[in-house]
Amino acid sequence: MTQLHKFSLKSLFIRITMAAIFFTITWKSDAQRIINPQFDSLLTKRADTIKPRITDSTDRIKFIGSDTTHPINDSSNHVDTFSLKLSKDSLDAPVAYFAKDSAVVMVKTKKIYLFGQTKTDYQDITLTAPKVEIDQQSQIMTAYNGKDSTGSVTDEAKFTQGEQAFTSDTIRYNFKTQRGLTTNTITESGEMFVHGEKVKKVDKNVTYVKNGFFTTCNYDIPHYGFKTGKLKMINKKLAISGPTHPEFEGVPVPIVLPFGFFPLSQGRHSGFLPPQFTTNDQFGLGLEQLGYYHVVNENWDVKTYGNVYSYGGWSANVSPTYVKRYRFRGSFNFGLQHTKRNFKGDPDYYANNSYTLTWSHQVDQKARPGSTFSANVNASSTSYNKNVPNSPNLNFQNQLGSSIAYSKTWVDKPYNLTVSANHNQNNQTGLVTVNLPDMGFTVSTIYPFQKKEFAGTKKWYEQLGIGYSGSFRNSVSFYDTAFKLRNLIDTLQWGAQHNIPITLSLPPILNGAVMVSPSISYSQVWIAQKTRLKWNTAQQKLDTSVTKGFFIDQQASAGLSLSSAIFGTFQFKHSRVVAIRHVVRPSIGINYRPDLSKGHFYTDTVNSQGYTARFSEFQGGLFGGYGEGESGGLSFSLDNNLQMKWRSKKDTGDAAIKKVNLIDGYGLTTSYNFLADSMKLSPIQLYLRANLFEKINLNASGTISPYKVDALGRDISAYAWEGNGHSLGRLTSGSISLSTTFQSKAKDEKKEKERKEQLDAELNDPRVVADRQRLLDYMRQNPAEFVDFNIPWQVSLSYSLYFREQFKTDYSGFEKIISSNVNFSGSFSLTPKWNFSVNGYYDFDTKKLQTFTMGISRDMHCWQMSINVTPIGLYRFFNFTINPKSGLLQDLRINRSRSFTNF
């Protein structure tokens, strides 16, 4: 085993001045030494008077590959003391060096030579090179690269100080002044790589470069860059160059910039936002994303930007973001949009003013335990989304909603208060509804008969619990195109609801197989208006009358429920399928509800044929009234779960047994009212949930009416299976949704994990929270610019179907409303560098492809080319972009865009 010996120049000087022993220090294959700067001066002053006994013809002490060590032969045991005066030129810290081949100390010239894979450390400086020369008099270290017999470089000299690294042919560095000079150097600062014929490091942070070439390409021979005669770099701050011109593949581009300014600092910095030139068929020529980003302080920043078009259209946005660590964070955006398409006098001329307002606020849960505040506001003019160019996803977004909420939970008390303001709007109809305030107060279940201190089993009455939940809501609705403040009073509604549940927890019966849960509840609603429909014989229509006031409706009920779980397992032999397990969870409830709302229902004619219908005078209220009729009956529900165990071929033992859910849940619910005079059986609710093959998510639900219908499609008091019928009922509503994603394995699993973590970090970064939605919209609009070449192919599909029966507007019968659509997206790599992607939305009702976007991407190592085309939809456009991948030069792009409107 190789033995390493350490010695200092102090020890070397003492042993030489003793002049009593020959010594040879040898190493097998490695040499490691530490130079103590406190004795450099001593060696410098007295080395010329010392004549070592062991020298070669060049008067040098040489360390060679041998295992023999000759120690000092001194039988006396004493301690020598010295009084030394240190030189002003001595270093501030030791220099530790390592050489795999050999190390040579020249006593007369005071130099040390290291050969082989050397490594030298001084403070935060590390130097590795095949050959190093250390001059103790001048305190200059020189490193050389290694070359073979043909002159080709086989090993490079590398210099690292802190986060700065240099790779060079030759490196000269002064330990004392911390200045260095290198030749043919490559250094990296942030995302920038700088190649220099000569590089001079004047201090820890400042570096000068002669005949420099800077780029974001990490190849030794980069694909592109900017060439300059002189360059100054300040670490983590900026780089300033003289006259600069770009080069691509070594070919100069005849574009000369008088100077270059390249920010290298990390984090946020104020500055102008470079605009993008665009061409739009309806808006004209334009500049987009022109603005300024300003950092107010470490907690606030503001982004102001806008678009300007030659036809007179413009938009302006102000987006501040804020963050207080461990307290809160959020963002705000307010935008104005003045839309002009074409010129006045043109048949397609269009002008419109609109606005948008978004606000997102989150509070750290640890900031104020027991209370929370959050805001998620997304409001705009109902015409704003459809006038945003080149954004098909935003153009078809018709539903917007907002919520601002505060909640308070009392510690050690069962109280909870919630106060919120909500908003929702339909951009297609123009209807806007605002709920302000919306308050809720709840009291968790308390047990009034339970002792504060007890031992043993609780009495049955001690488990009697009572709770409370109440809510109050104030609402106003209006059409934004006909908004008038005085008309809001007519649409103002308010209401309240109270619920008092009483529960009793009883022990299970039948050896714990059946759970018993009795309950009693009382509910009440406060309503601000009554609505009456009256058939107008003269005008042959229904008239509506509204009566303002304070009205109360109430309901009480009592019930007893029994629930259990039944397990069944079917075993397989000589099969990879080990067993299939079926779990059935039946529940039966007995309930009674008196008729407390009978006076709030009425019957009236609905059409000229004399057909009548039953109505509630509280319909259309914030809190609708309760149902009419006395109810006393039986409710039933049945939930099922299907699981399978199978044996994997990849593992052995217990690890080979895998469990999967074949069907997550399926079942039905219904009830039977013994006290009803007709139609005692309630509609049957069906549902199904499954994750097929752990790839396909399936959700389905449906409602079956067990009754026959009359000529208008209304239920009558006759079961569907009575008479000659063989039907179990009529499917009155239902929905089916399917979604799946298939993709190939990543070429590099580690790289894919890092990419996801980086993307999640960027989307959750509070500094970009204001741009999060715009970033997602831009990614959907330009998928070719965000291609993951590490995934060879991927496909995503989702399908949804929804249908229901509803009364026609003239109450002449029922009509079926059916809606179905499919969303698809996918990408695949034609070659390792070419990728093709598509995404779209097809509506089966209109039998049209509503949106479709396709893109082609080319990975050019440090650059990327993308082509995006949207040939159909409200806005049709294409986009061609070539840009560097580096975020440092994200605005250095060649972009060509055209868009067309299809109204």
Side-chain angles (χ1 to χ4, degrees), residues 18 26 93 113 157 184 292 371 461 516 604 626 652 676 709 777 855 903:
M18 291 175 66
T26 59
Y113 296 91
N184 298 329
Y292 185 81
S371 64
Y461 56 85
V516 181
D604 208 318
Y626 300 108
T652 59
V709 296
D777 291 337
F903 290 106

Side-chain angles (χ1 to χ4, degrees), residues 873-887:
L874 185 63
Y875 287 96
R876 296 167 293 154
F877 70 93
F878 75 86
N879 174 273
F880 173 81
T881 303
I882 298 180
N883 62 284
K885 292 181 179 179
S886 170

Side-chain angles (χ1 to χ4, degrees), residues 464-465 500-506 516-522 557-561 590-592:
L464 181 68
I500 302 176
I502 301 175
T503 60
L504 179 62
S505 299
L506 297 180
V516 181
S517 301
S519 63
I520 299 175
S521 67
Y522 174 79
S557 64
L560 178 69
S561 65
I590 303 172
N591 57 78
Y592 172 76

Side-chain angles (χ1 to χ4, degrees), residues 181-185 195-200 208-212:
L181 183 65
T182 65
T183 58
N184 298 329
T185 301
H195 301 242
E197 180 181 331
K198 288 187 177 181
V199 176
K200 184 178 181 180
Y208 291 92
V209 181
K210 180 181 179 182
N211 295 331

Side-chain angles (χ1 to χ4, degrees), residues 336-528:
L336 295 174
Q337 184 173 248
H338 177 67
T339 305
K340 272 192 176 182
R341 299 195 191 100
N342 304 307
F343 294 102
K344 287 186 177 181
D346 191 290
D348 296 327
Y349 174 76
Y350 173 81
N352 176 266
N353 293 319
S354 57
Y355 72 91
T356 182
L357 174 67
T358 61
W359 179 33
S360 175
H361 181 87
Q362 297 178 356
V363 176
D364 195 310
Q365 295 181 354
K366 299 178 181 179
R368 298 188 65 182
S371 64
T372 61
F373 177 80
S374 64
N376 187 6
V377 177
N378 184 12
S380 70
S381 302
T382 54
S383 59
Y384 181 86
N385 283 0
K386 71 177 184 180
N387 288 323
V388 178
N390 305 336
S391 184
N393 291 286
L394 198 60
N395 299 148
F396 288 95
Q397 185 179 356
N398 291 322
Q399 297 290 335
L400 298 181
S402 305
S403 175
I404 303 174
Y406 168 81
S407 66
K408 169 70 175 178
T409 300
W410 280 261
V411 180
D412 298 329
K413 292 183 180 180
Y415 308 134
N416 178 267
L417 173 67
T418 301
V419 181
S420 65
N422 303 290
H423 143 271
N424 61 78
Q425 68 181 63
N426 188 313
N427 291 341
Q428 189 171 5
T429 62
L431 181 62
V432 180
T433 302
V434 178
N435 298 324
L436 176 69
D438 192 341
M439 296 186 297
F441 182 77
T442 61
V443 179
S444 302
T445 303
I446 59 177
Y447 300 92
F449 303 110
Q450 181 175 294
K451 299 178 182 178
K452 293 184 179 180
E453 297 181 0
F454 63 90
T457 306
K458 296 180 182 179
K459 304 294 183 180
W460 68 269
Y461 56 85
E462 292 181 334
Q463 301 186 61
L464 181 68
I466 184 172
Y468 170 80
S469 64
S471 59
F472 173 83
R473 184 177 304 162
N474 192 71
S475 177
V476 62
S477 301
F478 59 89
Y479 290 92
D480 69 336
T481 55
F483 174 78
K484 291 183 180 180
L485 186 61
R486 63 176 179 269
N487 294 338
L488 292 181
I489 304 300
D490 297 333
T491 64
L492 178 64
Q493 293 191 62
W494 64 269
Q497 186 177 37
H498 311 274
N499 295 290
I500 302 176
I502 301 175
T503 60
L504 179 62
S505 299
L506 297 180
I509 61 175
L510 300 179
N511 296 324
V514 178
M515 303 295 296
V516 181
S517 301
S519 63
I520 299 175
S521 67
Y522 174 79
S523 302
Q524 188 181 92
V525 292
W526 297 350
I527 304 173

Side-chain angles (χ1 to χ4, degrees), residues 858-875:
R858 174 66 163 90
D859 183 5
M860 301 188 294
H861 183 247
C862 48
W863 283 64
Q864 180 168 297
M865 180 191 72
S866 64
I867 302 173
N868 296 283
V869 180
T870 299
I872 60 175
L874 185 63
Y875 287 96

Side-chain angles (χ1 to χ4, degrees), residues 817-834:
I817 305 298
I818 301 177
S819 175
S820 62
N821 58 76
V822 61
N823 286 274
F824 59 89
S825 65
S827 67
F828 64 93
S829 297
L830 302 174
T831 68
K833 299 296 183 181
W834 283 95

